[in-house]
Amino acid sequence: MINLISLKFTEQTIKAVVIQTSFWILFIVYELLAVYYHIGSLEGPLIYIVYYAINITLFYACLNLLSYTLEGTRVNYFKGVAAYFALLIFFLIIKAIADHLLGNPQPATNDPYIYIKQFLPRNLTRAVYFTLLAIFYCSAKYVTQYKRKALEAEKRQLIVEKNNAALEAQLSKSRNAYLQQQINPHMLFNALNFVYNSTQKYSDDAAQCIWLLSEIMRFSLEEADQDGKIKLGREVEQIDNLIAINRYRFKEPLHLNLQRAGDFASYKIIPLILLTLTENVFKHGNLTEVNSPAVLKLTVDENGLLTFYSRNLKKSKNEHPRIRKAVGLQNIRLRLDAFYRSGYQLKIDDPGDFYELTLTLQL
């Protein structure tokens, strides 16, 4: 749209002038051809120049009036309507003057209002016609601007979400890499191998415990796939190793009801989540009571929904372990948020002497 109030001849404005001038030339040619086809003749060039100049001026005046009314800080339709009627009256007066100077027939002495009677309906029709053109043009402009802004906003949102996802993935990888690189793996496993061989001479149980520990350490230092995940079956294997280690550690028998069901080989998960939750059962739970055994259930259904449930008798109150447990769970939540967003639910119940935890995760 050409702003008649503050016209600035920028490159974009010049382009708009060329496009709209071309449109008006085609529009005038079309109307003149239609008049010539129905009447068979045309008036003099001066008449068409004057009348089209008045009509086109009305079009741009309506366009600027619509923009002023709609783009203001407060939309005031009453003022807009009042201004339009004033503009319409002014337009009809200008057309009446043009009709008087250029019109035909000449005024009769017995009817001085012949131009009003003959030309007012035509002038009013043309005013409404060019007003509707301005309304349609303004509507098309606002619809185009709205769609463009909506697409730009959607594009910006997608870029932000993509950047956030990339940053979260990179942060999770950095955290895992930091944990993995704190100890030199080569040195660690050489030392464990030496301890295993030396201990095996004196105690098979101790040697077996060392071997299980080395398997868990090896797993914790394994590099995940490109998506930051490992095979679920490997994590479940380490749960078995962790349970076996704890059975070696304690002199008293541990009472644990372990239940597993599902196809663990077909799915993947981010590492150390289930292993850490299982470790909390041994670290903070009392598994020595035969009448209150701990419960550990791990299932995967046919839709890939993983459910991890644990229930254990609490140990005696100890503030320090409680703080450490809270930190561990907080780190687990951070990692689950980064990888699974709303695709998981971690629920913790603390009823009386028992502690329950349920993790449901869509793999």
Side-chain angles (χ1 to χ4, degrees):
M1 185 188 69
I2 301 177
N3 191 341
L4 298 179
I5 298 176
S6 58
L7 183 63
K8 296 181 180 180
F9 289 98
T10 61
E11 182 179 352
Q12 185 176 2
T13 303
I14 294 174
K15 183 179 179 180
V17 170
V18 172
I19 293 175
Q20 295 188 38
T21 301
S22 302
F23 166 79
W24 286 119
I25 291 174
L26 294 175
F27 177 82
I28 293 171
V29 170
Y30 163 76
E31 286 202 335
L32 293 181
L33 289 175
V35 171
Y36 184 80
Y37 176 79
H38 288 91
I39 299 178
S41 63
L42 296 174
E43 300 288 346
L46 179 62
I47 292 178
Y48 295 113
I49 292 174
V50 172
Y51 282 109
Y52 274 112
I54 296 173
N55 292 333
I56 293 174
T57 300
L58 174 66
F59 169 85
Y60 284 110
C62 290
L63 209 56
N64 280 272
L65 179 60
L66 285 169
S67 298
Y68 175 78
T69 303
L70 298 176
E71 294 178 359
T73 55
R74 179 179 296 178
V75 178
N76 194 326
Y77 293 101
F78 177 78
K79 288 184 179 181
V81 172
Y84 171 73
F85 279 109
L87 177 64
L88 181 61
I89 293 172
F90 180 74
F91 168 79
L92 293 176
I93 292 174
I94 295 298
K95 289 295 289 287
I97 294 174
D99 291 337
H100 180 74
L101 297 176
L102 303 174
N104 188 30
Q106 294 299 320
T109 56
N110 59 347
D111 191 2
Y113 302 104
I114 185 173
Y115 295 113
I116 296 178
K117 295 178 181 178
Q118 183 172 342
F119 295 125
L120 181 59
R122 184 194 68 181
N123 292 338
L124 190 58
T125 301
R126 293 292 279 177
V128 173
Y129 178 69
F130 278 89
T131 300
L132 290 176
L133 282 179
I135 292 174
F136 289 141
Y137 182 91
C138 188
S139 300
K141 185 195 79 167
Y142 277 101
V143 169
T144 302
Q145 288 181 350
Y146 174 79
K147 288 184 177 180
R148 184 174 66 251
K149 290 180 180 179
L151 290 174
E152 291 176 353
E154 184 178 357
K155 182 179 179 180
R156 288 195 298 269
Q157 182 65 24
L158 290 174
I159 293 174
V160 170
E161 292 180 356
K162 181 180 178 181
N163 291 338
N164 288 341
L167 288 174
E168 290 177 357
Q170 185 62 36
L171 178 60
S172 298
K173 290 181 180 179
S174 298
R175 287 173 176 169
N176 289 337
Y178 172 74
L179 292 174
Q180 292 172 351
Q181 297 303 321
Q182 289 185 75
I183 303 176
N184 187 305
H186 183 71
M187 179 198 70
L188 174 65
F189 291 118
N190 282 343
L192 286 173
N193 187 54
F194 169 77
V195 174
Y196 171 77
N197 291 329
S198 301
T199 307
Q200 195 174 27
K201 301 175 183 179
Y202 306 99
S203 172
D204 289 337
D205 289 347
Q208 182 66 14
C209 190
I210 293 172
W211 182 83
L212 292 172
L213 177 62
S214 65
E215 284 298 305
I216 294 177
M217 294 296 296
R218 193 185 308 276
F219 168 77
S220 66
L221 296 174
E222 284 182 4
E223 185 175 355
D225 295 337
Q226 291 294 330
D227 57 0
K229 300 178 182 179
I230 48 90
K231 293 181 179 180
L232 178 59
R234 287 283 293 144
E235 181 100 358
V236 175
E237 289 176 5
Q238 306 317 309
I239 292 177
D240 292 337
N241 291 338
L242 182 63
I243 294 174
I245 288 177
N246 282 277
R247 293 192 186 277
Y248 281 117
R249 285 178 57 204
F250 298 98
K251 296 180 179 179
E252 299 180 6
L254 299 181
H255 302 284
L256 173 65
N257 182 5
L258 177 62
Q259 303 176 27
R260 290 184 302 190
D263 182 12
F264 301 110
S266 301
Y267 298 97
K268 298 171 66 177
I269 191 174
I270 58 175
L272 302 178
I273 294 293
L274 304 182
L275 190 63
T276 302
L277 294 178
T278 304
E279 180 190 9
N280 284 337
V281 175
F282 293 100
K283 184 185 298 184
H284 307 290
N286 182 1
L287 281 69
T288 61
E289 297 293 333
V290 64
N291 295 324
S292 300
V295 177
L296 190 62
K297 296 181 181 179
L298 183 60
T299 61
V300 179
D301 64 14
E302 61 276 6
N303 297 318
L305 182 64
L306 170 71
T307 302
F308 178 95
Y309 171 79
S310 66
R311 183 179 185 270
N312 58 267
L313 187 66
K314 298 177 184 176
K315 287 183 177 180
S316 59
K317 294 183 179 180
N318 189 324
E319 194 66 26
H320 183 62
R322 223 184 248 182
I323 295 175
R324 292 184 60 186
K325 179 173 65 175
V327 172
L329 289 175
Q330 183 179 4
N331 290 336
I332 288 176
R333 288 186 186 275
L334 288 174
R335 296 185 63 206
L336 290 172
D337 287 338
F339 278 88
Y340 298 100
R341 298 181 180 273
S342 60
Y344 83 96
Q345 184 177 11
L346 182 60
K347 181 180 179 182
I348 297 173
D349 293 322
D350 201 2
D353 295 331
F354 289 90
Y355 181 88
E356 294 181 345
L357 181 145
T358 304
L359 170 66
T360 55
L361 175 63
Q362 185 63 53
L363 299 175

Coordinates of all heavy atoms in Angstrom, one line a residue, residues 89-123:
I89 N -19.1 12.3 1.4 CA -19.8 13.6 1.1 C -18.8 14.5 0.3 O -19.2 15.1 -0.7 CB -20.3 14.3 2.4 CG1 -21.4 13.5 3.0 CG2 -20.7 15.7 2.0 CD1 -21.8 14.0 4.4
F90 N -17.6 14.5 0.7 CA -16.6 15.3 0.0 C -16.4 14.8 -1.4 O -16.3 15.6 -2.4 CB -15.3 15.3 0.7 CG -14.2 16.1 0.1 CD1 -14.2 17.5 0.1 CD2 -13.2 15.5 -0.6 CE1 -13.2 18.3 -0.5 CE2 -12.2 16.2 -1.2 CZ -12.2 17.6 -1.2
F91 N -16.4 13.5 -1.6 CA -16.3 12.9 -2.9 C -17.4 13.2 -3.8 O -17.3 13.6 -5.0 CB -16.2 11.3 -2.7 CG -16.3 10.6 -4.0 CD1 -15.3 10.4 -4.9 CD2 -17.5 10.0 -4.3 CE1 -15.4 9.7 -6.1 CE2 -17.7 9.2 -5.5 CZ -16.6 9.1 -6.4
L92 N -18.7 13.1 -3.2 CA -19.9 13.4 -4.0 C -19.9 14.9 -4.5 O -20.3 15.2 -5.6 CB -21.1 13.1 -3.2 CG -21.3 11.6 -3.0 CD1 -22.5 11.4 -2.1 CD2 -21.5 10.8 -4.3
I93 N -19.4 15.8 -3.6 CA -19.3 17.2 -4.0 C -18.4 17.4 -5.1 O -18.7 18.1 -6.1 CB -18.9 18.1 -2.7 CG1 -20.1 18.0 -1.7 CG2 -18.6 19.5 -3.1 CD1 -19.7 18.7 -0.4
I94 N -17.2 16.8 -5.0 CA -16.2 16.9 -6.1 C -16.7 16.4 -7.4 O -16.6 17.0 -8.5 CB -14.9 16.2 -5.7 CG1 -14.3 16.9 -4.5 CG2 -13.9 16.2 -6.9 CD1 -13.8 18.3 -4.7
K95 N -17.4 15.2 -7.3 CA -18.0 14.6 -8.5 C -19.1 15.5 -9.1 O -19.3 15.6 -10.3 CB -18.6 13.2 -8.2 CG -17.5 12.2 -8.0 CD -16.7 11.9 -9.2 CE -17.4 11.2 -10.3 NZ -17.6 9.8 -10.0
A96 N -19.9 16.2 -8.2 CA -21.0 17.1 -8.7 C -20.4 18.3 -9.4 O -20.9 18.7 -10.5 CB -21.8 17.5 -7.5
I97 N -19.3 18.8 -8.9 CA -18.6 19.9 -9.6 C -18.1 19.4 -10.9 O -18.2 20.2 -12.0 CB -17.4 20.4 -8.7 CG1 -18.0 21.1 -7.4 CG2 -16.6 21.5 -9.5 CD1 -16.9 21.5 -6.4
A98 N -17.5 18.3 -11.0 CA -17.0 17.7 -12.3 C -18.1 17.5 -13.2 O -18.0 17.8 -14.4 CB -16.2 16.4 -12.0
D99 N -19.3 17.0 -12.7 CA -20.4 16.8 -13.6 C -20.9 18.1 -14.2 O -21.3 18.2 -15.3 CB -21.5 16.1 -12.8 CG -21.2 14.7 -12.5 OD1 -20.3 14.1 -13.2 OD2 -21.7 14.1 -11.5
H100 N -20.9 19.1 -13.3 CA -21.4 20.5 -13.7 C -20.5 21.1 -14.8 O -21.0 21.7 -15.8 CB -21.4 21.4 -12.5 CG -21.9 22.8 -12.9 ND1 -23.2 23.1 -13.2 CD2 -21.2 23.9 -13.0 CE1 -23.3 24.4 -13.5 NE2 -22.1 24.9 -13.4
L101 N -19.2 20.8 -14.7 CA -18.2 21.4 -15.6 C -18.1 20.6 -16.9 O -17.9 21.1 -18.0 CB -16.9 21.6 -15.0 CG -16.8 22.6 -13.8 CD1 -15.4 22.5 -13.2 CD2 -17.2 24.0 -14.2
L102 N -18.2 19.3 -16.8 CA -17.9 18.4 -17.9 C -19.2 17.6 -18.4 O -19.1 16.9 -19.4 CB -16.8 17.4 -17.6 CG -15.5 18.0 -17.1 CD1 -14.6 16.9 -16.7 CD2 -14.9 18.8 -18.2
G103 N -20.3 17.7 -17.6 CA -21.4 16.9 -17.9 C -22.2 17.3 -19.1 O -22.0 18.4 -19.7
N104 N -23.0 16.4 -19.6 CA -23.9 16.6 -20.7 C -25.2 15.8 -20.4 O -25.2 14.7 -20.0 CB -23.2 16.0 -22.0 CG -24.0 16.4 -23.2 OD1 -24.7 17.4 -23.3 ND2 -23.9 15.5 -24.2
P105 N -26.4 16.4 -20.6 CA -26.7 17.7 -21.3 C -26.5 18.9 -20.4 O -26.2 18.8 -19.2 CB -28.2 17.5 -21.6 CG -28.7 16.7 -20.4 CD -27.6 15.8 -20.1
Q106 N -26.6 20.1 -21.1 CA -26.4 21.4 -20.4 C -27.7 21.6 -19.5 O -28.8 21.1 -19.8 CB -26.3 22.5 -21.4 CG -25.0 22.4 -22.2 CD -23.8 22.5 -21.3 OE1 -23.8 23.3 -20.3 NE2 -22.8 21.7 -21.6
P107 N -27.6 22.3 -18.4 CA -28.7 22.5 -17.5 C -29.9 23.2 -18.2 O -29.7 24.1 -19.0 CB -28.1 23.4 -16.4 CG -26.9 24.1 -17.0 CD -26.4 23.1 -18.0
A108 N -31.1 22.7 -17.9 CA -32.3 23.4 -18.4 C -32.7 24.4 -17.4 O -32.5 24.3 -16.2 CB -33.4 22.3 -18.6
T109 N -33.4 25.5 -18.0 CA -33.8 26.6 -17.1 C -34.9 26.2 -16.2 O -34.9 26.8 -15.1 CB -34.3 27.7 -18.0 OG1 -35.3 27.2 -18.9 CG2 -33.2 28.3 -18.9
N110 N -35.7 25.2 -16.5 CA -36.8 24.8 -15.7 C -36.4 23.7 -14.7 O -37.2 23.3 -13.9 CB -38.0 24.4 -16.5 CG -37.6 23.2 -17.4 OD1 -36.4 22.9 -17.5 ND2 -38.6 22.5 -17.9
D111 N -35.1 23.2 -14.7 CA -34.7 22.1 -13.8 C -33.2 22.3 -13.5 O -32.4 21.6 -14.1 CB -35.0 20.8 -14.4 CG -34.8 19.6 -13.4 OD1 -34.5 20.0 -12.2 OD2 -34.9 18.4 -13.8
P112 N -32.9 23.1 -12.5 CA -31.4 23.4 -12.2 C -30.8 22.2 -11.5 O -29.6 22.2 -11.4 CB -31.5 24.6 -11.3 CG -32.8 24.6 -10.7 CD -33.8 24.0 -11.7
Y113 N -31.5 21.2 -11.0 CA -31.0 20.1 -10.3 C -30.8 18.8 -11.2 O -30.8 17.7 -10.7 CB -31.8 19.7 -9.1 CG -32.0 20.9 -8.1 CD1 -33.2 21.6 -8.1 CD2 -30.9 21.3 -7.3 CE1 -33.3 22.7 -7.3 CE2 -31.1 22.4 -6.4 CZ -32.3 23.1 -6.4 OH -32.4 24.1 -5.6
I114 N -30.7 19.0 -12.5 CA -30.7 17.9 -13.4 C -29.5 17.0 -13.1 O -29.5 15.8 -13.2 CB -30.7 18.3 -14.9 CG1 -30.8 17.1 -15.8 CG2 -29.5 19.2 -15.2 CD1 -31.0 17.5 -17.2
Y115 N -28.3 17.6 -12.8 CA -27.1 16.8 -12.6 C -27.2 16.0 -11.3 O -26.7 14.8 -11.3 CB -25.9 17.8 -12.5 CG -25.7 18.5 -13.8 CD1 -25.8 19.8 -13.9 CD2 -25.3 17.7 -14.9 CE1 -25.6 20.5 -15.1 CE2 -25.1 18.4 -16.1 CZ -25.3 19.7 -16.2 OH -25.1 20.4 -17.4
I116 N -27.9 16.5 -10.3 CA -28.0 15.7 -9.0 C -29.0 14.5 -9.3 O -28.7 13.4 -8.9 CB -28.6 16.6 -7.9 CG1 -27.6 17.7 -7.6 CG2 -28.9 15.8 -6.7 CD1 -28.1 18.7 -6.5
K117 N -30.0 14.8 -10.0 CA -31.0 13.7 -10.3 C -30.4 12.6 -11.2 O -30.6 11.4 -11.0 CB -32.2 14.2 -10.9 CG -33.0 15.1 -9.9 CD -34.3 15.7 -10.7 CE -35.1 16.6 -9.7 NZ -36.2 17.2 -10.5
Q118 N -29.6 13.1 -12.2 CA -29.1 12.2 -13.2 C -27.8 11.5 -12.8 O -27.6 10.3 -13.0 CB -28.9 12.9 -14.5 CG -28.5 12.0 -15.6 CD -28.4 12.7 -17.0 OE1 -29.1 13.7 -17.1 NE2 -27.7 12.1 -17.9
F119 N -26.9 12.2 -12.1 CA -25.6 11.6 -11.8 C -25.4 11.2 -10.4 O -24.4 10.4 -10.1 CB -24.5 12.7 -12.1 CG -24.5 13.1 -13.6 CD1 -24.6 14.4 -14.0 CD2 -24.3 12.1 -14.5 CE1 -24.6 14.8 -15.3 CE2 -24.3 12.5 -15.9 CZ -24.4 13.8 -16.3
L120 N -26.2 11.6 -9.4 CA -26.0 11.2 -8.0 C -26.1 9.7 -7.8 O -25.2 9.1 -7.2 CB -27.1 11.8 -7.1 CG -26.9 11.5 -5.6 CD1 -25.5 11.9 -5.1 CD2 -28.0 12.2 -4.8
P121 N -27.0 8.9 -8.4 CA -27.0 7.4 -8.2 C -25.8 6.8 -8.8 O -25.2 5.9 -8.2 CB -28.3 7.0 -8.9 CG -29.2 8.2 -8.9 CD -28.3 9.4 -9.0
R122 N -25.3 7.3 -10.0 CA -24.1 6.8 -10.6 C -22.9 7.1 -9.7 O -22.1 6.2 -9.5 CB -24.0 7.4 -12.0 CG -22.8 6.7 -12.7 CD -22.4 7.6 -14.0 NE -21.9 8.9 -13.6 CZ -21.5 9.8 -14.4 NH1 -21.7 9.6 -15.7 NH2 -21.1 11.0 -14.0
N123 N -22.8 8.3 -9.2 CA -21.6 8.7 -8.4 C -21.6 7.9 -7.1 O -20.5 7.5 -6.6 CB -21.6 10.2 -8.1 CG -21.4 11.0 -9.4 OD1 -20.8 10.5 -10.4 ND2 -21.8 12.2 -9.4

